[in-house]
Amino acid sequence: MGTAVEGGRSGPRYVQIADEIVQQIRAGVLKPGDMVPSESELVERYGVSGGTIRKAMVEVRASGLVETRHGKGSIVKDRPPVRHRSSDRFRRSLRQGGKAAYLAESAQSGATAKVSVLYIGPMEAPTDAAQRLGVPVGTQVLARRRLYFRNGTPVETASSYLPWDVVKEIPELFAENPGGGGIYARLEDHGHEFAEFVETLQARPASKAEASELALSPGAPVVHLIREARTTAGLVVEVCDTLMAADQFVFEYRIPAAD
């Protein structure tokens, strides 16, 4: 059964089936909390083999839209709506208004945001962060690691690394809540005026540990973003290493056309 219908001009049959299931979830035909039809039900519906359905479900799980529960099958996740990350998020006016980027962005989209601080304290600079900060690998820096939630769901982790010589005289940066406008506002309060933020993005599958932390299916897509905060004096005063659930973010940037 199924060998004559398991391939096609638009790609392997299991990919077509996976795409259809994903579209049913995104269209609300399958709602958060609903069970995805069982393997036997999908075999009967599509007239293909069990192996084809298992391949299709690997693709569906990779979308990050479902989670598999042992002995129960796959269930549609209760994921919050996609929100935007844009080139506006680090505007000075937002910091001066007392809003850190993530909280301001979430408020604009009508979501309930929460930030859980996992660690604040000294740490030896990781290799990539040290290179970007212009310090030797292993130099002591201030690390701030956070887990971000949207409507109760973890969507992002972020680890900031700041030069010790810069932060040692700014006690607010050692507090869980650095005050209105976040750490960038405190840095600017102490004379570190920002000139630009440079971000590098890479999409990839989540590791097992990353998937667990962000409540994703193993191998679900994530976006790895590294940001450098550069001052008008030419210093990088923060490197932020961020991992985001890919289904939660749309990136929108303004690119000037003029010289």
Side-chain angles (χ1 to χ4, degrees), residues 1-231:
M1 177 180 64
T3 54
V5 295
E6 291 187 18
R9 293 182 180 179
S10 58
R13 183 61 171 141
Y14 73 87
V15 173
Q16 299 170 20
I17 293 169
D19 286 345
E20 184 171 322
I21 294 171
V22 166
Q23 289 306 315
Q24 289 175 356
I25 294 171
R26 288 178 173 159
V29 177
L30 289 171
K31 298 178 174 58
D34 285 353
M35 299 299 299
V36 175
S38 67
E39 180 180 317
S40 60
E41 290 173 317
L42 292 173
V43 163
E44 183 176 354
R45 176 184 301 179
Y46 291 105
V48 296
S49 68
T52 297
I53 294 302
R54 287 190 289 275
K55 288 182 180 180
M57 288 309 301
V58 169
E59 299 293 318
V60 174
R61 286 192 291 273
S63 73
L65 298 174
V66 304
E67 60 181 329
T68 301
R69 297 180 180 176
H70 184 67
K72 293 186 177 180
S74 296
I75 187 170
V76 179
K77 285 185 178 181
D78 184 12
R79 304 292 288 178
V82 171
R83 66 184 176 85
H84 289 266
R85 288 175 65 104
S86 75
S87 48
D88 298 327
R89 67 193 311 261
F90 296 118
R91 290 201 314 268
R92 184 168 287 109
S93 60
L94 291 176
R95 293 194 296 279
Q96 292 173 342
K99 295 181 179 179
Y102 178 78
L103 298 179
E105 198 170 50
S106 296
Q108 289 170 0
S109 65
T112 300
K114 176 187 173 184
V115 182
S116 177
V117 176
L118 304 178
Y119 175 79
I120 300 174
M123 178 181 289
E124 292 185 358
T127 300
D128 184 66
Q131 291 174 346
R132 293 171 183 273
L133 291 170
V135 301
V137 176
T139 299
Q140 180 174 283
V141 295
L142 173 65
R144 296 179 58 93
R145 178 165 170 75
R146 295 91 66 201
L147 178 61
Y148 293 86
F149 294 82
R150 177 182 165 85
N151 294 343
T153 300
V155 296
E156 175 181 340
T157 64
S159 296
S160 291
Y161 304 101
L162 302 98
W164 197 263
D165 287 345
V166 169
V167 304
K168 64 184 180 181
E169 304 298 335
I170 311 177
E172 296 95 333
L173 297 183
F174 293 80
E176 285 197 14
N177 182 357
I183 64 173
Y184 291 160
R186 300 293 78 73
L187 285 162
E188 287 200 313
D189 288 346
H190 287 77
H192 302 284
E193 182 179 350
F194 291 108
E196 63 178 356
F197 301 90
V198 179
E199 295 186 336
T200 303
L201 296 86
Q202 179 186 20
R204 59 171 175 79
S207 69
K208 185 175 180 180
E210 292 166 347
S212 176
E213 190 166 38
L214 291 175
L216 299 170
S217 299
V222 291
V223 175
H224 185 198
L225 181 151
I226 298 178
R227 181 173 62 252
E228 298 177 14
R230 299 178 179 176
T231 70

